[in-house]
Amino acid sequence: MRQSAVLEEIRAKIAQIEGVGARHDVIPFGIEDFDSRIPARGIAMGALHELAGSPELADDASATIFLAGILARSDGPVFWCLRWRDLFAPALYLAGLHPDRLIHVEAGSDTNVLLAMEECLRHPGLAGVVGEVKKYSTTASKRLQLAAEASGVPAFIFRRACKAGEPAEGSAAVTRWRITASPTEDLGIPAIGRARWRVALERARGGNPHNWIVEGCDATGRIALPAALVDRPAAQEDAQAAA
């Protein structure tokens, strides 16, 4: 049996044991280098995922659009729970998430955001439930994971203004991501190129961390690898990611 087939079989068994991806669909990125490094081969439905940017506004904005792009590629309404509504709807729309699909829940505090998320996750058929918090407990993450598993709806904790390396309690999230802004391509003329992000998969249950430089979401919510990086040897890519 080929090594890749053996790895896929092992990952499938791990996912089945952990209850990830055994019963629910997946939202793939459509980029082999992404999907092949995630045990579920994409964002697993019916599971909890965690995202963060940084205290820099450009990084938090990049993380927001990255998340909007994931949700844009799934069908159904989206519940976005937050302390107060400060989302810029036109930016989400440009990433493919139409305002008609978005329902805001202004909860006023992190505690109420988590309660609202758990209630929203009781309803199957949603594209996803998002909760913006500064921090949350291990117990809260386990409750969200169980609620997501029961309904098949993906849950996303978005940790706003989260510093890299900031201590945190353990989390039941099956993946943890950090998205930060990266310099755009030099077009050689006074103009702004397509946004670029550094996407770090900091944790994947059953997988390994990895970094990518990607071009930001298009109008359908899809990211892309910059043309200059598509054919780069894997060893060179891994060396840069580790730098």
Side-chain angles (χ1 to χ4, degrees):
M1 185 180 293
R2 293 178 57 188
Q3 183 178 7
S4 58
V6 173
L7 289 174
E8 288 298 327
E9 183 178 350
I10 293 173
R11 286 170 174 170
K13 288 181 179 178
I14 292 173
Q16 186 174 10
I17 292 169
E18 295 181 333
V20 178
R23 296 171 296 150
H24 304 303
D25 292 333
V26 170
I27 308 172
F29 285 95
I31 301 173
E32 179 60 23
D33 190 52
F34 257 72
D35 295 334
S36 65
R37 295 180 186 273
I38 308 171
R41 293 195 62 82
I43 298 296
M45 305 279 282
L48 174 65
H49 306 273
E50 185 177 317
L51 296 94
S54 85
E56 295 294 328
L57 180 59
D59 294 337
D60 259 13
S62 298
T64 301
I65 302 305
F66 177 81
L67 176 53
I70 293 172
L71 295 165
R73 301 196 306 276
S74 185
D75 296 326
V78 173
F79 279 88
W80 202 300
C81 310
L82 64 180
R83 285 180 291 175
W84 56 83
R85 193 169 79 178
D86 60 352
L87 290 173
F88 187 55
L92 304 185
Y93 176 68
L94 290 175
L97 185 57
H98 196 282
D100 288 349
R101 296 180 53 205
L102 194 59
I103 301 170
H104 298 92
V105 180
E106 298 181 53
S109 69
D110 283 358
T111 299
N112 288 340
V113 165
L114 295 170
L115 290 173
M117 285 186 71
E118 193 171 341
E119 181 61 35
C120 292
L121 285 167
R122 299 180 190 276
H123 303 280
L126 302 177
V129 175
V130 180
E132 294 189 6
V133 298
K134 291 283 290 184
K135 60 182 180 179
Y136 69 129
S137 67
T138 303
T139 300
S141 73
K142 290 179 178 178
R143 291 180 64 92
L144 292 174
Q145 171 63 24
L146 289 173
E149 285 181 6
S151 65
V153 174
F156 300 91
I157 282 288
F158 181 14
R159 298 184 64 200
R160 295 284 296 269
C162 176
K163 296 180 180 178
E166 182 176 299
E169 290 193 44
S171 171
V174 299
T175 62
R176 184 173 66 237
W177 304 80
R178 185 174 296 274
I179 314 331
T180 52
S182 186
T184 60
E185 179 184 4
D186 185 358
L187 300 178
I189 58 174
I192 299 177
R194 182 174 174 179
R196 284 188 177 180
W197 305 326
R198 176 177 291 275
V199 175
L201 177 59
E202 295 184 332
R203 177 181 182 272
R205 191 185 298 174
N208 296 312
H210 195 72
N211 289 341
W212 299 266
I213 297 295
V214 304
E215 293 183 337
C217 295
D218 62 14
T220 65
R222 297 190 177 278
I223 58 175
L225 293 178
L229 304 182
V230 170
D231 298 320
R232 188 173 60 189
Q236 181 181 350
E237 176 187 320
D238 290 339
Q240 178 169 330

